[in-house]
Amino acid sequence: MHPARKQRLILVVLLVALSSVAVGFVTYAMRANMDYFYAPSAFVAGEVPLEKRIRAGGCVVPGSILRDDDSLDVRFALTDGEAEVEVVFDKILPDLFAEGEAAVVTGKLQQGGYVRADQVLAKHDESYTPPEVADTMVGKADCKGDAKI
């Protein structure tokens, strides 16, 4: 093999190896920052890992919002039409958060079977439902309970 050709081959192999290592590091780093989305029925089925950051969504169950008088703590339930999951949140809720409306929470599933949320997102107008929630609600009652999505 000609020396110039051999040098090019070594350079290409080295670049491929370094690129593979870089892609591996980036993939490993991104894995720690992913939030997987689960519907309330996945909680009942036992598919949700404990103490791992997740997202959950559904409709806020009417009559489930309980506020603590001495703090900002709020408890409420989310449903996908099949199952419910309880959520505990200790910050200020969004203005549009209400019973019967779509919501997505980010937090961790606790040992008691409830989600300790650190973020709550509420729908922003009458025609919008977050895509994750809409996908889990297909063929089930909508958030207001009037019709099917």
Side-chain angles (χ1 to χ4, degrees), residues 68 108 133:
D68 188 12
K108 294 181 180 180
V133 175

Side-chain angles (χ1 to χ4, degrees), residues 6-140:
K6 188 175 183 178
Q7 274 185 329
R8 270 189 259 141
L9 179 63
I10 290 172
L11 183 63
V12 168
V13 169
L14 186 63
L15 284 173
V16 168
L18 289 175
S19 298
S20 298
V21 169
V23 167
F25 281 137
V26 168
T27 303
Y28 181 76
M30 287 177 57
R31 211 177 64 173
N33 294 324
M34 285 194 216
D35 297 334
Y36 293 102
F37 181 84
Y38 294 97
S41 53
F43 287 85
V44 174
E47 301 171 1
V48 182
L50 286 173
E51 294 296 328
K52 183 170 166 63
R53 190 170 162 87
I54 56 153
R55 296 180 89 196
C59 295
V60 179
V61 177
S64 69
I65 300 175
L66 302 171
R67 298 177 190 272
D68 188 12
D69 294 334
D70 300 331
S71 67
L72 292 176
D73 288 353
V74 178
R75 288 182 173 270
F76 59 93
L78 291 176
T79 185
D80 61 357
E82 292 180 9
E84 293 182 6
V85 64
E86 187 175 350
V87 179
V88 176
F89 186 61
D90 62 355
K91 297 179 180 87
I92 297 173
L93 287 168
D95 291 338
L96 297 175
F97 180 85
E99 295 177 350
E101 299 293 343
V104 175
V105 299
T106 303
K108 294 181 180 180
L109 179 63
Q110 302 297 309
Q111 194 68 30
Y114 65 93
V115 175
R116 165 118 358 237
D118 54 31
Q119 182 181 32
V120 174
L121 303 173
K123 67 185 258 181
H124 71 279
D125 69 24
E126 291 301 317
S127 62
Y128 176 77
T129 300
E132 298 96 342
V133 175
D135 291 345
T136 62
M137 299 292 289
V138 172
K140 301 172 188 163

